Amino acid sequence: MHPALADDLSRLPELLQSARDFAAREVSGIGDRPVVPPAETTKARPLPAEGVGAEGALARFAERWAPGFSASAGPRYLGFVTGGATPAAVTGDWLTSAYDQNATGGDASSASGLERETLGWLRELFGLGEAHSGAFVTGATVSNTVGLALAREWLGERLGVRVSEVGAAALGPVDVLSGSPHSSIPKALSVLGIGRDRLRTVPVLPGGREAVDVARLADALEALDGRPAVVVANAGTVNTVDFDDLRAIAELKERYDFWLHVDAAFGGFAALSPEHAHLTDGIDAADSVCVDLHKWLNVPYDAAVQFTRHRNLQVRVFHNASPYLGLPTGEPDFVHLTPENSRRLRALPSWFSLAAYGRAGHREIVERNVAQARRLGEGIAAVRELRLLAPVRLNVVCFTLAGSATRERVHALGRAVAESGEAFLTPTFYEGAHALRAAFSNWRTSETDTDRVLEAVTRAAGSPRPATGS
Ligand SMILES: *Cc1c(COP(=O)(O)O)cnc(C)c1O
């Protein structure tokens, strides 16, 4: 054994203790550090010929790279839809690495039993019935890709071909219809050989909505003249968190032949709040469903779940059995369900967080974040220099400058907020306007944090009198 490795082996408990101490310092100070550090580039160094041992590596990391890491796990990082990592989720994540299971299912381990239990919990949390089965994947993009891969196989079945055997070309041009699809949908269509251009956007409802106009969707399906299609419904758009009417879309299935995929990456968590649960009504009727877990469940990157009512198609697309063994039957191993063969036990952090806080604890995070978004929205609406671009429907505040809102000025506003070290927001383009989004999804965020964000934004917008909340 290399001496550095042998030395680390002999001191393994002390090493884990050092890592624990370092992580504890970093995480407990996360609310006080600048949300994004000043931009400085760390230069790459050559590959070490001889290593310095894990303790030495930790020291070099702490010195060279850690200072540039963002506080994306902290309470005022409101860019994208980021979420943090609950204490229990971090515990589960550490143990995932320590145990280093290969959760393929054929691994002579109870790990896949734990994954199945976690999937059952999540299915219940999101209001899905027993007909849905699922698997863990790395993120909503892959979850959407898996759902659309099943849709592609289903289209083949309608036309009497097996796409998994003969290839996507056998389908000819495919019709994918959606109102306000996430950017990961065209990416998935590119990967799947369907093609980005096959995504056709259907008009949304009037009056500043992002939800699809179901009557126009019906028109688009009617125009296909019986040709089977794919509908991507959106349960939580990123700019204004608008929801398609899932029940109304599902009812169209009585008249038209289509696969219904629901992208509920973070909007699926509306189901946890009795006030908002109606937004996800009808989700159970979907053929496939995507929900991200590294966003609003607050588990570390990277984790998402995909559900489907068509496990037979999933096994056809993703099975890894030798052809002479045939398709797996009964409860197929996860290796036959996902793009990965070898896979990390990414269910463990979710299992820990759900075991630790239950439905009630996770509901509290969702409801608190929604209240914070409302609070920030009201605050922004009261600042003369700023303008809300949409009502705060759930956990995202979409706003711009009241005066001239050029790309330059709005992006400069976002940069000024980031440079203040107080908060991080991401730019977007919505309703013909350059804008900023503040997305609340972190378990640590408090009312005080929300007011600090409002103050930072107000100051950066040049308002003479920083507001102090509603
Ligand atoms: C974030 C998001 C995705 C993509 O998720 P990743 O986890 O980044 O792959 C897809 N759809 C929606 C609606 C999202 O918010």
Side-chain angles (χ1 to χ4, degrees):
M1 198 182 275
H2 185 278
L5 197 53
D7 188 46
D8 277 359
L9 175 60
S10 70
R11 302 186 322 109
L12 188 55
E14 292 94 309
L15 279 175
L16 293 177
Q17 185 63 38
S18 301
R20 188 220 77 98
D21 293 346
F22 182 78
R25 271 197 308 280
E26 290 289 285
V27 169
S28 53
I30 207 164
D32 307 322
R33 281 210 315 273
V35 175
V36 286
E40 272 172 44
T41 35
T42 306
K43 278 223 190 67
R45 287 186 190 163
L47 169 72
E50 299 289 331
V52 290
E55 199 81 68
L58 181 59
R60 278 163 181 66
F61 167 72
E63 182 209 336
R64 296 185 55 224
W65 291 106
F69 276 27
S70 72
S72 58
R76 294 185 310 285
Y77 188 100
L78 307 182
F80 313 100
V81 181
T82 300
T86 64
V90 172
T91 308
D93 200 62
W94 282 1
L95 292 177
T96 304
S97 294
Y99 277 104
D100 192 23
Q101 305 284 287
N102 185 359
T104 57
D107 54 343
S109 164
S110 61
S112 29
L114 180 137
E115 179 161 346
R116 288 203 179 88
E117 176 171 272
T118 314
L119 290 163
W121 291 354
L122 291 168
R123 184 172 61 194
E124 201 180 318
L125 205 62
F126 302 128
L128 296 168
E130 303 252 309
H132 279 276
S133 62
F136 273 77
V137 291
T138 53
T141 300
V142 174
S143 179
N144 281 331
T145 305
V146 170
L148 293 172
L150 307 186
R152 187 184 61 176
E153 191 71 7
W154 174 86
L155 286 171
E157 200 170 64
R158 303 318 253 186
L159 302 176
V161 294
R162 287 209 172 189
V163 174
S164 52
E165 308 293 335
V166 302
L171 290 177
V174 168
D175 298 282
V176 183
L177 307 172
S178 189
S180 305
H182 185 265
S183 56
S184 58
I185 298 298
K187 177 168 172 170
L189 296 177
S190 160
V191 170
L192 293 168
I194 291 174
R196 296 176 192 261
D197 287 354
R198 299 312 302 171
L199 176 61
R200 287 169 39 204
T201 47
V202 178
V204 294
L205 291 170
R209 298 290 305 275
E210 287 189 297
V212 74
D213 183 333
V214 178
R216 303 292 295 272
L217 177 62
D219 292 344
L221 289 163
E222 181 75 39
L224 295 178
D225 214 11
R227 211 163 63 240
V230 180
V231 171
V232 176
N234 303 294
T237 56
V238 288
N239 282 331
T240 71
V241 202
D242 209 346
F243 286 72
D244 287 353
D245 185 338
L246 302 180
R247 200 171 285 293
I249 294 174
E251 276 165 14
L252 294 179
K253 282 185 148 218
E254 287 162 22
R255 282 188 280 150
Y256 307 106
D257 201 19
F258 63 92
W259 177 280
L260 176 56
H261 175 76
V262 176
D263 180 356
F266 67 97
F269 285 83
L272 276 70
S273 151
E275 187 190 340
H276 301 285
H278 66 275
L279 295 169
T280 64
D281 274 357
I283 195 169
D284 185 51
D287 295 289
S288 52
V289 176
C290 152
V291 190
D292 233 333
L293 302 172
H294 51 220
K295 289 177 180 168
W296 225 349
L297 191 67
N298 279 268
V299 299
Y301 289 99
D302 43 16
V305 63
Q306 59 78 215
F307 289 105
T308 181
R309 300 174 153 272
H310 303 267
R311 186 139 80 182
N312 56 330
L313 297 181
Q314 187 163 6
V315 170
R316 242 201 253 162
V317 175
F318 292 104
H319 77 91
N320 193 55
S322 317
Y324 54 84
L325 288 177
L327 293 184
T329 52
E331 187 91 51
D333 289 339
F334 287 108
V335 67
H336 302 304
L337 297 175
T338 55
E340 304 86 6
N341 276 359
S342 294
R343 49 203 290 282
R344 176 179 178 80
L345 181 58
R346 22 181 89 71
L348 195 53
S350 295
W351 186 94
F352 259 83
S353 206
L354 291 169
Y357 315 118
R359 179 194 287 274
H362 280 279
R363 167 183 167 181
E364 192 277 332
I365 296 172
V366 169
E367 291 182 330
R368 174 156 43 92
N369 288 157
V370 171
Q372 290 161 344
R374 276 188 190 143
R375 185 179 175 88
L376 181 67
E378 282 162 18
I380 282 175
V383 175
R384 204 161 26 90
E385 287 78 2
L386 299 171
R387 180 164 70 92
L388 265 190
L389 267 181
V392 178
R393 295 198 179 93
L394 204 67
N395 60 327
V396 173
V397 185
C398 187
F399 66 97
T400 189
L401 286 160
S404 148
T406 59
R407 186 176 190 281
E408 289 65 33
R409 290 194 71 222
V410 172
H411 285 229
L413 174 64
R415 273 198 310 277
V417 171
E419 279 160 16
S420 75
E422 282 289 284
F424 181 71
L425 315 178
T426 35
T428 189
F429 189 77
Y430 172 67
E431 290 258 290
H434 294 281
L436 293 176
R437 295 167 60 257
F440 289 82
S441 57
N442 188 293
W443 67 282
R444 293 178 81 122
T445 310
S446 69
E447 211 166 81
T448 309
D449 287 314
T450 310
D451 292 344
R452 278 175 70 173
V453 173
L454 177 60
E455 217 167 294
V457 172
T458 306
R459 240 190 246 122
S463 176
R465 190 168 45 82
T468 49
S470 48

